[in-house]
Amino acid sequence: MLFDVLDRIRQQTIISSILLMIVGLLMLIVPIRHDQVVIELLGYVILIIGGVMVLDFIASNKKISDYITFLAALFLLLLGIFILVSGADILMILSVVFGIVLLVDGVHSSFHAWWYARRAGRRLWWVLLILSISLIIAGIIIFNNPWWGSGYSLVKVIGAVLLYSSAVGIVRLIMVWPIRRTEK
């Protein structure tokens, strides 16, 4: 039972990382004339993810973690609606939100590197720590948004950082995942 749940978590992490890599690649190759379409598509995707999370909450056992996920789903629904309703102001909001997400992911990965990978005796735990710190730095840079003012350049930067963040997520999964299932 426990191994099945852990295998499902690992599979979901790998699938979400691959999907984020695909989204990052699409954001990198989209032509300049379609950047507004990409932003609207992002709004719809966030709405769909929030809706699925709400439906998962409705079908869940209503534990405390389910309520936290439900709050995150409500936030995603509001963010998706805001992206679709707002006009030119969305670039600043997207850079702030994406910067915060990268900061949180970097801190999360740093915690995993320091707490789990180092304690598990992984030889290269410091590599994960360096990758995590680079995520934090990328989040700060995107949060401050110093060099780009157009939607096209912001979409390119977010696409590149999505690729990098997904790769760091896969490295984190490989380095932290201690469980080896043995068949008898």
Side-chain angles (χ1 to χ4, degrees):
M1 173 85 162
L2 177 65
F3 286 117
D4 293 335
V5 171
L6 290 174
D7 283 341
R8 189 174 41 170
I9 290 171
R10 183 178 55 188
Q11 289 171 355
Q12 288 175 349
T13 303
I14 292 170
I15 289 171
S16 65
S17 292
I18 290 171
L19 288 175
L20 285 176
M21 283 183 174
I22 291 170
V23 169
L25 280 173
L26 287 175
M27 290 175 86
L28 284 174
I29 63 173
V30 68
I32 191 167
R33 64 182 177 274
H34 298 298
D35 61 344
Q36 188 60 34
V37 173
V38 170
I39 291 173
E40 287 180 16
L41 184 65
L42 178 67
Y44 287 120
V45 167
I46 289 173
L47 274 176
I48 290 170
I49 291 171
V52 168
M53 288 172 70
V54 167
L55 292 175
D56 283 344
F57 171 77
I58 291 171
S60 71
N61 293 333
K62 311 292 189 287
K63 297 177 292 209
I64 189 72
S65 62
D66 295 328
Y67 285 103
I68 293 170
T69 305
F70 179 68
L71 288 175
L74 291 179
F75 173 75
L76 287 176
L77 287 173
L78 290 174
L79 178 65
I81 290 170
F82 184 75
I83 288 172
L84 293 175
V85 171
S86 66
D89 297 333
I90 196 61
L91 293 178
M92 183 60 144
I93 292 169
L94 278 179
S95 66
V96 168
V97 168
F98 194 71
I100 290 171
V101 167
L102 277 176
L103 283 171
V104 169
D105 189 32
V107 169
H108 179 255
S109 293
S110 298
F111 175 76
H112 279 271
W114 184 260
W115 193 258
Y116 296 120
R118 185 180 64 89
R119 285 189 170 196
R122 304 289 180 161
R123 288 180 303 173
L124 300 174
W125 67 270
W126 53 271
V127 172
L128 184 58
L129 187 64
I130 291 172
L131 292 174
S132 303
I133 291 170
S134 67
L135 277 179
I136 293 170
I137 292 169
I140 291 170
I141 290 172
I142 290 178
F143 185 75
N144 290 330
N145 196 10
W147 295 295
W148 48 87
S150 69
Y152 181 72
S153 58
L154 184 63
V155 165
K156 297 299 180 200
V157 168
I158 289 175
V161 174
L162 265 178
L163 276 171
Y164 181 69
S165 174
S166 299
V168 171
I170 290 174
V171 169
R172 179 182 59 223
L173 180 70
I174 291 169
M175 292 190 73
V176 173
W177 199 263
I179 299 169
R180 307 276 191 258
R181 191 172 189 174
T182 58
E183 298 293 330
K184 293 183 179 182

